[in-house]
Amino acid sequence: MKALVLLLAALAAAPALCAQSVWKLATGYRAESFHTRNIVQFAQEVERASAGALRIEVHANNALFKLGDIPQAVQDAKAEAGETIMTSLVPGMPIAGADAVPFVVRSYADARRLWDLQRPLIEGHFAQRGLKVLYAVPWPPQGLFSVAPVKSAADFKGTRMRTYNPATVRIAELLGATPVDVPMVEVNQALAAGKLDSMITSALTGVENQVWGQIRQYYGINAWFPKNIVFVNQKAFDALPAPVRQAVTQVAAEAEARGWALSETIAQESVGELQRKGIQVGRAPAELDAELKRLGERFSREWVQSVGNEANKIFIPYYFQR
Ligand code: PCA
């Protein structure tokens, strides 16, 4: 009997003994968000596919590092892996802003084509920082939320617009609004405290922050599809045995495919949910729509100038090689 107990104890401990590597993966989004749920599934599948040789601990909600600090933390090996919104990297990596240029990507199929073209460039920039890209998944399309109905760009003058990346800051400026940086997980509080008049984000982010207490309007302008990117410190990756590296790469490709499908489903569900909660959902009024398109063109020109030749590597094939 004693021998049996000892044997069972040894078996129970066996997976732990095999779990040679543990990675911390930091994200700035909530545990319940679809991106994080997808990451948790990715982690579980890595553990299974590597027979316990690699365990990934997911730290959500800015708990380990703030969203914008995560790439540097992973580069400095303070965490082995992380997730951030790619467009937050724009100051040091202008090409990362390709997926927040307004009105370029109009559908998930467009977003896919853009990522296929953008990915090799992004991988090169990440490699220069000692980072390896695992996968990227888009947020649902970005719409315009407003506390009050708006008819034209003039209605934004002097109002406060919530921002989450350099692109939203520039758009607020072009509209004559004051940009107010609010992390995604604090949007609800900021709205409840009366600190915001409008924001451009996904219907999903509106749902997750239960914005119906203050927000009255949602205009489905489909401005862009920003992506979250999941990455790992290259040295941490290289330290794994070859079969485990293969397992990670394979499971990452599956997580990417699953995440894109989830995003598309959730995009539709979220707009319905906003409507059910009493938010007016519709298209932007014609005058505002035309002004936003002009503003988008100006934004594109500025962005192409800031990026230089790499922008052509994406947008020439994007527009001319369909
Ligand atoms: N939600 C995140 C980024 C894009 C989105 O849809 C946010 O609002 O911060």
Side-chain angles (χ1 to χ4, degrees):
M1 183 64 190
K2 193 168 173 210
L4 181 65
V5 169
L6 286 177
L7 179 67
L8 287 177
L11 282 177
L17 291 176
C18 295
Q20 284 142 352
S21 308
V22 179
W23 285 358
K24 287 194 174 70
L25 189 157
T27 178
Y29 297 104
R30 293 187 181 100
E32 312 80 59
S33 98
F34 88 97
H35 285 292
T36 312
R37 285 190 278 114
N38 195 33
I39 290 174
V40 168
Q41 188 171 343
F42 163 70
Q44 288 164 347
E45 287 176 7
V46 163
E47 194 165 346
R48 195 175 322 132
S50 69
L54 175 60
R55 187 158 61 80
I56 303 179
E57 285 173 0
V58 181
H59 297 260
N61 215 19
N62 297 306
L64 201 55
F65 297 102
K66 289 216 175 73
L67 184 69
D69 298 335
I70 290 173
Q72 190 63 50
V74 175
Q75 190 175 336
D76 296 342
K78 291 178 183 154
E80 288 79 11
E83 178 197 47
T84 196
I85 183 161
M86 203 152 76
T87 55
S88 70
L89 292 160
V90 163
M93 200 187 291
I95 201 71
D99 53 346
V101 181
F103 310 121
V104 169
V105 165
R106 310 301 285 154
S107 66
Y108 277 90
D110 284 355
R112 183 76 249 176
R113 282 195 311 118
L114 180 74
W115 178 223
D116 289 344
L117 294 165
Q118 189 187 21
R119 182 170 191 147
L121 303 174
I122 289 292
E123 284 180 342
H125 285 283
F126 270 61
Q128 280 170 22
R129 294 184 174 198
L131 300 172
K132 177 179 170 59
V133 173
L134 292 178
Y135 68 87
V137 168
W139 288 89
Q142 306 291 287
L144 173 64
F145 289 87
S146 178
V147 167
V150 279
K151 285 208 170 60
S152 72
D155 292 336
F156 290 88
K157 290 238 155 56
T159 64
R160 297 149 309 167
M161 187 171 218
R162 183 253 168 173
T163 59
Y164 67 79
N165 66 0
T168 45
V169 170
R170 184 68 187 128
I171 288 166
E173 284 168 5
L174 291 171
L175 285 167
T178 306
V180 185
D181 181 54
V182 180
M184 193 281 205
V185 295
E186 290 168 25
V187 164
N188 186 327
Q189 275 162 266
L191 274 168
K195 290 184 181 160
L196 304 173
D197 301 299
S198 69
M199 59 181 181
I200 296 179
T201 185
S202 58
L204 168 66
T205 293
V207 170
E208 286 191 352
N209 284 284
Q210 305 185 358
V211 300
W212 34 85
Q214 293 79 28
I215 296 283
R216 291 273 145 269
Q217 310 285 331
Y218 175 77
Y219 303 105
I221 58 174
N222 278 5
W224 63 87
F225 292 60
K227 290 183 291 287
N228 279 4
I229 186 159
V230 179
F231 48 91
V232 59
N233 180 293
Q234 184 74 53
K235 287 201 181 114
F237 184 80
D238 291 344
L240 299 171
V244 180
R245 291 202 300 270
Q246 269 163 24
V248 171
T249 310
Q250 169 66 31
V251 171
E254 288 161 18
E256 178 159 305
R258 185 172 61 235
W260 281 68
L262 258 174
S263 178
E264 198 163 354
T265 307
I266 287 175
Q268 285 170 9
E269 287 171 6
S270 307
V271 175
E273 181 65 3
L274 292 179
Q275 227 156 4
R276 280 192 292 281
K277 296 292 183 190
I279 292 181
Q280 280 261 298
V281 171
R283 298 169 70 89
E287 188 179 345
L288 176 63
D289 192 54
E291 287 166 329
L292 287 175
K293 296 281 154 50
R294 273 200 296 280
L295 180 154
E297 281 161 19
R298 172 153 173 206
F299 185 103
S300 308
R301 279 197 301 278
E302 290 178 1
W303 181 78
V304 168
Q305 275 164 10
S306 78
V307 177
N309 188 39
E310 273 198 322
N312 295 335
K313 291 195 182 151
I314 295 183
F315 286 116
I316 291 178
Y318 179 83
Y319 281 115
F320 299 110
Q321 293 170 12
R322 280 175 191 246

